[in-house]
PDB file of all heavy atoms in Angstrom:
ATOM      1  N   ILE A  14       7.800  -4.510  -9.373  1.00 96.00           N
ATOM      2  CA  ILE A  14       7.913  -4.089  -7.984  1.00 96.00           C
ATOM      3  C   ILE A  14       6.876  -3.001  -7.744  1.00 96.00           C
ATOM      4  O   ILE A  14       6.684  -2.119  -8.585  1.00 96.00           O
ATOM      5  CB  ILE A  14       9.341  -3.587  -7.656  1.00 96.00           C
ATOM      6  CG1 ILE A  14       9.429  -3.143  -6.190  1.00 96.00           C
ATOM      7  CG2 ILE A  14       9.781  -2.483  -8.587  1.00 96.00           C
ATOM      8  CD1 ILE A  14      10.842  -2.854  -5.736  1.00 96.00           C
ATOM      9  N   VAL A  15       6.166  -3.076  -6.634  1.00 95.00           N
ATOM     10  CA  VAL A  15       5.171  -2.057  -6.280  1.00 95.00           C
ATOM     11  C   VAL A  15       5.832  -1.000  -5.411  1.00 95.00           C
ATOM     12  O   VAL A  15       6.429  -1.320  -4.379  1.00 95.00           O
ATOM     13  CB  VAL A  15       3.976  -2.677  -5.532  1.00 95.00           C
ATOM     14  CG1 VAL A  15       3.034  -1.586  -5.040  1.00 95.00           C
ATOM     15  CG2 VAL A  15       3.227  -3.647  -6.435  1.00 95.00           C
ATOM     16  N   GLN A  16       5.730   0.255  -5.849  1.00 96.00           N
ATOM     17  CA  GLN A  16       6.238   1.373  -5.058  1.00 96.00           C
ATOM     18  C   GLN A  16       5.046   2.046  -4.384  1.00 96.00           C
ATOM     19  O   GLN A  16       4.285   2.784  -5.018  1.00 96.00           O
ATOM     20  CB  GLN A  16       6.980   2.366  -5.947  1.00 96.00           C
ATOM     21  CG  GLN A  16       7.520   3.578  -5.199  1.00 96.00           C
ATOM     22  CD  GLN A  16       8.120   4.599  -6.138  1.00 96.00           C
ATOM     23  OE1 GLN A  16       8.963   4.284  -6.965  1.00 96.00           O
ATOM     24  NE2 GLN A  16       7.679   5.852  -6.023  1.00 96.00           N
ATOM     25  N   ALA A  17       4.845   1.754  -3.109  1.00 95.00           N
ATOM     26  CA  ALA A  17       3.742   2.346  -2.346  1.00 95.00           C
ATOM     27  C   ALA A  17       4.119   3.784  -2.021  1.00 95.00           C
ATOM     28  O   ALA A  17       4.948   4.045  -1.152  1.00 95.00           O
ATOM     29  CB  ALA A  17       3.490   1.538  -1.081  1.00 95.00           C
ATOM     30  N   ASN A  18       3.495   4.715  -2.721  1.00 96.00           N
ATOM     31  CA  ASN A  18       3.894   6.121  -2.639  1.00 96.00           C
ATOM     32  C   ASN A  18       2.979   6.909  -1.686  1.00 96.00           C
ATOM     33  O   ASN A  18       1.925   6.443  -1.273  1.00 96.00           O
ATOM     34  CB  ASN A  18       3.850   6.747  -4.037  1.00 96.00           C
ATOM     35  CG  ASN A  18       4.542   8.091  -4.099  1.00 96.00           C
ATOM     36  OD1 ASN A  18       5.518   8.332  -3.382  1.00 96.00           O
ATOM     37  ND2 ASN A  18       4.056   8.976  -4.947  1.00 96.00           N
ATOM     38  N   LYS A  19       3.428   8.107  -1.342  1.00 95.00           N
ATOM     39  CA  LYS A  19       2.716   9.046  -0.471  1.00 95.00           C
ATOM     40  C   LYS A  19       2.522   8.472   0.933  1.00 95.00           C
ATOM     41  O   LYS A  19       1.476   8.669   1.565  1.00 95.00           O
ATOM     42  CB  LYS A  19       1.375   9.449  -1.106  1.00 95.00           C
ATOM     43  CG  LYS A  19       1.541  10.034  -2.521  1.00 95.00           C
ATOM     44  CD  LYS A  19       0.259  10.574  -3.089  1.00 95.00           C
ATOM     45  CE  LYS A  19       0.478  11.085  -4.507  1.00 95.00           C
ATOM     46  NZ  LYS A  19      -0.744  11.671  -5.105  1.00 95.00           N
ATOM     47  N   ARG A  20       3.552   7.791   1.403  1.00 94.00           N
ATOM     48  CA  ARG A  20       3.488   7.180   2.726  1.00 94.00           C
ATOM     49  C   ARG A  20       3.579   8.214   3.841  1.00 94.00           C
ATOM     50  O   ARG A  20       3.323   7.902   5.012  1.00 94.00           O
ATOM     51  CB  ARG A  20       4.629   6.161   2.900  1.00 94.00           C
ATOM     52  CG  ARG A  20       4.657   5.076   1.848  1.00 94.00           C
ATOM     53  CD  ARG A  20       3.394   4.269   1.820  1.00 94.00           C
ATOM     54  NE  ARG A  20       3.277   3.400   2.990  1.00 94.00           N
ATOM     55  CZ  ARG A  20       2.139   2.909   3.435  1.00 94.00           C
ATOM     56  NH1 ARG A  20       1.000   3.229   2.848  1.00 94.00           N
ATOM     57  NH2 ARG A  20       2.120   2.110   4.491  1.00 94.00           N
ATOM     58  N   ASP A  21       3.935   9.454   3.457  1.00 91.00           N
ATOM     59  CA  ASP A  21       4.073  10.517   4.447  1.00 91.00           C
ATOM     60  C   ASP A  21       2.742  11.118   4.873  1.00 91.00           C
ATOM     61  O   ASP A  21       2.659  11.819   5.886  1.00 91.00           O
ATOM     62  CB  ASP A  21       4.962  11.629   3.879  1.00 91.00           C
ATOM     63  CG  ASP A  21       4.395  12.196   2.575  1.00 91.00           C
ATOM     64  OD1 ASP A  21       4.125  11.383   1.655  1.00 91.00           O
ATOM     65  OD2 ASP A  21       4.230  13.421   2.467  1.00 91.00           O
ATOM     66  N   LEU A  22       1.685  10.846   4.109  1.00 90.00           N
ATOM     67  CA  LEU A  22       0.410  11.511   4.363  1.00 90.00           C
ATOM     68  C   LEU A  22      -0.377  10.826   5.486  1.00 90.00           C
ATOM     69  O   LEU A  22      -0.374   9.595   5.590  1.00 90.00           O
ATOM     70  CB  LEU A  22      -0.427  11.534   3.083  1.00 90.00           C
ATOM     71  CG  LEU A  22       0.182  12.316   1.915  1.00 90.00           C
ATOM     72  CD1 LEU A  22      -0.740  12.276   0.710  1.00 90.00           C
ATOM     73  CD2 LEU A  22       0.462  13.760   2.321  1.00 90.00           C
ATOM     74  N   PRO A  23      -1.038  11.618   6.310  1.00 88.00           N
ATOM     75  CA  PRO A  23      -1.864  11.018   7.371  1.00 88.00           C
ATOM     76  C   PRO A  23      -2.999  10.206   6.751  1.00 88.00           C
ATOM     77  O   PRO A  23      -3.576  10.591   5.731  1.00 88.00           O
ATOM     78  CB  PRO A  23      -2.392  12.233   8.137  1.00 88.00           C
ATOM     79  CG  PRO A  23      -2.299  13.367   7.171  1.00 88.00           C
ATOM     80  CD  PRO A  23      -1.101  13.091   6.309  1.00 88.00           C
ATOM     81  N   GLY A  24      -3.292   9.076   7.322  1.00 86.00           N
ATOM     82  CA  GLY A  24      -4.360   8.242   6.784  1.00 86.00           C
ATOM     83  C   GLY A  24      -3.905   7.269   5.726  1.00 86.00           C
ATOM     84  O   GLY A  24      -4.737   6.551   5.144  1.00 86.00           O
ATOM     85  N   ALA A  25      -2.596   7.231   5.437  1.00 90.00           N
ATOM     86  CA  ALA A  25      -2.093   6.282   4.447  1.00 90.00           C
ATOM     87  C   ALA A  25      -2.379   4.857   4.904  1.00 90.00           C
ATOM     88  O   ALA A  25      -2.276   4.529   6.084  1.00 90.00           O
ATOM     89  CB  ALA A  25      -0.588   6.481   4.246  1.00 90.00           C
ATOM     90  N   LEU A  26      -2.740   4.007   3.949  1.00 90.00           N
ATOM     91  CA  LEU A  26      -3.067   2.632   4.276  1.00 90.00           C
ATOM     92  C   LEU A  26      -1.834   1.879   4.763  1.00 90.00           C
ATOM     93  O   LEU A  26      -0.703   2.192   4.374  1.00 90.00           O
ATOM     94  CB  LEU A  26      -3.651   1.917   3.056  1.00 90.00           C
ATOM     95  CG  LEU A  26      -5.172   2.037   2.855  1.00 90.00           C
ATOM     96  CD1 LEU A  26      -5.560   3.467   2.533  1.00 90.00           C
ATOM     97  CD2 LEU A  26      -5.625   1.095   1.750  1.00 90.00           C
ATOM     98  N   SER A  27      -2.049   0.873   5.576  1.00 89.00           N
ATOM     99  CA  SER A  27      -0.948   0.027   6.027  1.00 89.00           C
ATOM    100  C   SER A  27      -0.498  -0.870   4.878  1.00 89.00           C
ATOM    101  O   SER A  27      -1.221  -1.047   3.885  1.00 89.00           O
ATOM    102  CB  SER A  27      -1.386  -0.843   7.204  1.00 89.00           C
ATOM    103  OG  SER A  27      -2.345  -1.805   6.770  1.00 89.00           O
ATOM    104  N   ARG A  28       0.675  -1.457   5.019  1.00 88.00           N
ATOM    105  CA  ARG A  28       1.173  -2.379   3.996  1.00 88.00           C
ATOM    106  C   ARG A  28       0.188  -3.538   3.803  1.00 88.00           C
ATOM    107  O   ARG A  28      -0.067  -3.972   2.672  1.00 88.00           O
ATOM    108  CB  ARG A  28       2.544  -2.922   4.394  1.00 88.00           C
ATOM    109  CG  ARG A  28       3.665  -1.901   4.360  1.00 88.00           C
ATOM    110  CD  ARG A  28       4.966  -2.522   4.861  1.00 88.00           C
ATOM    111  NE  ARG A  28       5.420  -3.586   3.976  1.00 88.00           N
ATOM    112  CZ  ARG A  28       6.342  -3.429   3.025  1.00 88.00           C
ATOM    113  NH1 ARG A  28       6.888  -2.232   2.829  1.00 88.00           N
ATOM    114  NH2 ARG A  28       6.722  -4.442   2.276  1.00 88.00           N
ATOM    115  N   GLU A  29      -0.364  -4.030   4.895  1.00 87.00           N
ATOM    116  CA  GLU A  29      -1.292  -5.155   4.822  1.00 87.00           C
ATOM    117  C   GLU A  29      -2.547  -4.770   4.041  1.00 87.00           C
ATOM    118  O   GLU A  29      -3.051  -5.549   3.212  1.00 87.00           O
ATOM    119  CB  GLU A  29      -1.667  -5.629   6.225  1.00 87.00           C
ATOM    120  CG  GLU A  29      -0.531  -6.269   7.009  1.00 87.00           C
ATOM    121  CD  GLU A  29       0.503  -5.266   7.513  1.00 87.00           C
ATOM    122  OE1 GLU A  29       0.174  -4.046   7.597  1.00 87.00           O
ATOM    123  OE2 GLU A  29       1.636  -5.684   7.810  1.00 87.00           O
ATOM    124  N   GLU A  30      -3.061  -3.561   4.280  1.00 86.00           N
ATOM    125  CA  GLU A  30      -4.253  -3.103   3.568  1.00 86.00           C
ATOM    126  C   GLU A  30      -3.958  -2.933   2.081  1.00 86.00           C
ATOM    127  O   GLU A  30      -4.795  -3.266   1.223  1.00 86.00           O
ATOM    128  CB  GLU A  30      -4.748  -1.787   4.171  1.00 86.00           C
ATOM    129  CG  GLU A  30      -5.357  -1.938   5.558  1.00 86.00           C
ATOM    130  CD  GLU A  30      -5.637  -0.600   6.210  1.00 86.00           C
ATOM    131  OE1 GLU A  30      -4.806   0.330   6.068  1.00 86.00           O
ATOM    132  OE2 GLU A  30      -6.689  -0.477   6.862  1.00 86.00           O
ATOM    133  N   VAL A  31      -2.784  -2.414   1.766  1.00 87.00           N
ATOM    134  CA  VAL A  31      -2.396  -2.253   0.364  1.00 87.00           C
ATOM    135  C   VAL A  31      -2.326  -3.604  -0.323  1.00 87.00           C
ATOM    136  O   VAL A  31      -2.842  -3.793  -1.438  1.00 87.00           O
ATOM    137  CB  VAL A  31      -1.038  -1.525   0.256  1.00 87.00           C
ATOM    138  CG1 VAL A  31      -0.520  -1.563  -1.179  1.00 87.00           C
ATOM    139  CG2 VAL A  31      -1.168  -0.081   0.739  1.00 87.00           C
ATOM    140  N   GLN A  32      -1.712  -4.581   0.317  1.00 84.00           N
ATOM    141  CA  GLN A  32      -1.569  -5.901  -0.289  1.00 84.00           C
ATOM    142  C   GLN A  32      -2.909  -6.585  -0.473  1.00 84.00           C
ATOM    143  O   GLN A  32      -3.107  -7.326  -1.437  1.00 84.00           O
ATOM    144  CB  GLN A  32      -0.618  -6.748   0.559  1.00 84.00           C
ATOM    145  CG  GLN A  32       0.831  -6.290   0.423  1.00 84.00           C
ATOM    146  CD  GLN A  32       1.764  -6.928   1.429  1.00 84.00           C
ATOM    147  OE1 GLN A  32       1.371  -7.274   2.535  1.00 84.00           O
ATOM    148  NE2 GLN A  32       3.027  -7.092   1.042  1.00 84.00           N
ATOM    149  N   GLN A  33      -3.851  -6.303   0.413  1.00 82.00           N
ATOM    150  CA  GLN A  33      -5.194  -6.865   0.256  1.00 82.00           C
ATOM    151  C   GLN A  33      -5.852  -6.329  -1.012  1.00 82.00           C
ATOM    152  O   GLN A  33      -6.505  -7.068  -1.759  1.00 82.00           O
ATOM    153  CB  GLN A  33      -6.055  -6.529   1.468  1.00 82.00           C
ATOM    154  CG  GLN A  33      -5.748  -7.394   2.695  1.00 82.00           C
ATOM    155  CD  GLN A  33      -6.642  -7.034   3.874  1.00 82.00           C
ATOM    156  OE1 GLN A  33      -7.430  -6.084   3.800  1.00 82.00           O
ATOM    157  NE2 GLN A  33      -6.533  -7.770   4.959  1.00 82.00           N
ATOM    158  N   VAL A  34      -5.686  -5.039  -1.266  1.00 79.00           N
ATOM    159  CA  VAL A  34      -6.278  -4.425  -2.454  1.00 79.00           C
ATOM    160  C   VAL A  34      -5.608  -4.953  -3.717  1.00 79.00           C
ATOM    161  O   VAL A  34      -6.269  -5.216  -4.731  1.00 79.00           O
ATOM    162  CB  VAL A  34      -6.171  -2.888  -2.388  1.00 79.00           C
ATOM    163  CG1 VAL A  34      -6.663  -2.270  -3.694  1.00 79.00           C
ATOM    164  CG2 VAL A  34      -6.983  -2.354  -1.221  1.00 79.00           C
ATOM    165  N   LEU A  35      -4.294  -5.134  -3.677  1.00 81.00           N
ATOM    166  CA  LEU A  35      -3.572  -5.619  -4.846  1.00 81.00           C
ATOM    167  C   LEU A  35      -3.989  -7.039  -5.204  1.00 81.00           C
ATOM    168  O   LEU A  35      -3.980  -7.421  -6.373  1.00 81.00           O
ATOM    169  CB  LEU A  35      -2.063  -5.558  -4.593  1.00 81.00           C
ATOM    170  CG  LEU A  35      -1.471  -4.159  -4.471  1.00 81.00           C
ATOM    171  CD1 LEU A  35      -0.011  -4.237  -4.053  1.00 81.00           C
ATOM    172  CD2 LEU A  35      -1.599  -3.395  -5.781  1.00 81.00           C
ATOM    173  N   GLY A  36      -4.358  -7.827  -4.208  1.00 80.00           N
ATOM    174  CA  GLY A  36      -4.896  -9.160  -4.461  1.00 80.00           C
ATOM    175  C   GLY A  36      -3.865 -10.170  -4.910  1.00 80.00           C
ATOM    176  O   GLY A  36      -2.656  -9.980  -4.796  1.00 80.00           O
ATOM    177  N   GLN A  37      -4.372 -11.273  -5.455  1.00 80.00           N
ATOM    178  CA  GLN A  37      -3.529 -12.410  -5.805  1.00 80.00           C
ATOM    179  C   GLN A  37      -2.570 -12.123  -6.955  1.00 80.00           C
ATOM    180  O   GLN A  37      -1.501 -12.718  -7.046  1.00 80.00           O
ATOM    181  CB  GLN A  37      -4.410 -13.615  -6.165  1.00 80.00           C
ATOM    182  CG  GLN A  37      -5.141 -14.207  -4.974  1.00 80.00           C
ATOM    183  CD  GLN A  37      -4.171 -14.652  -3.886  1.00 80.00           C
ATOM    184  OE1 GLN A  37      -3.210 -15.370  -4.153  1.00 80.00           O
ATOM    185  NE2 GLN A  37      -4.426 -14.218  -2.661  1.00 80.00           N
ATOM    186  N   ASP A  38      -2.956 -11.217  -7.855  1.00 76.00           N
ATOM    187  CA  ASP A  38      -2.087 -10.917  -8.998  1.00 76.00           C
ATOM    188  C   ASP A  38      -0.707 -10.448  -8.549  1.00 76.00           C
ATOM    189  O   ASP A  38       0.307 -10.774  -9.165  1.00 76.00           O
ATOM    190  CB  ASP A  38      -2.717  -9.834  -9.885  1.00 76.00           C
ATOM    191  CG  ASP A  38      -3.918 -10.357 -10.656  1.00 76.00           C
ATOM    192  OD1 ASP A  38      -3.966 -11.571 -10.909  1.00 76.00           O
ATOM    193  OD2 ASP A  38      -4.797  -9.554 -10.993  1.00 76.00           O
TER     194      ASP A  38
END
């Protein structure tokens, strides 16, 4: 499970942007 951390900070990436970076794996 991926825990997308530091979501409170300004400029945090969107969920979609994070998933793009994580890729197919």
Side-chain angles (χ1 to χ4, degrees):
I14 180 171
V15 174
Q16 179 186 308
N18 193 32
K19 304 187 182 182
R20 304 301 289 158
D21 58 307
L22 297 180
L26 272 67
S27 68
R28 291 176 65 98
E29 292 74 20
E30 289 171 320
V31 170
Q32 288 169 330
Q33 283 181 355
V34 174
L35 293 173
Q37 290 302 310
D38 288 334

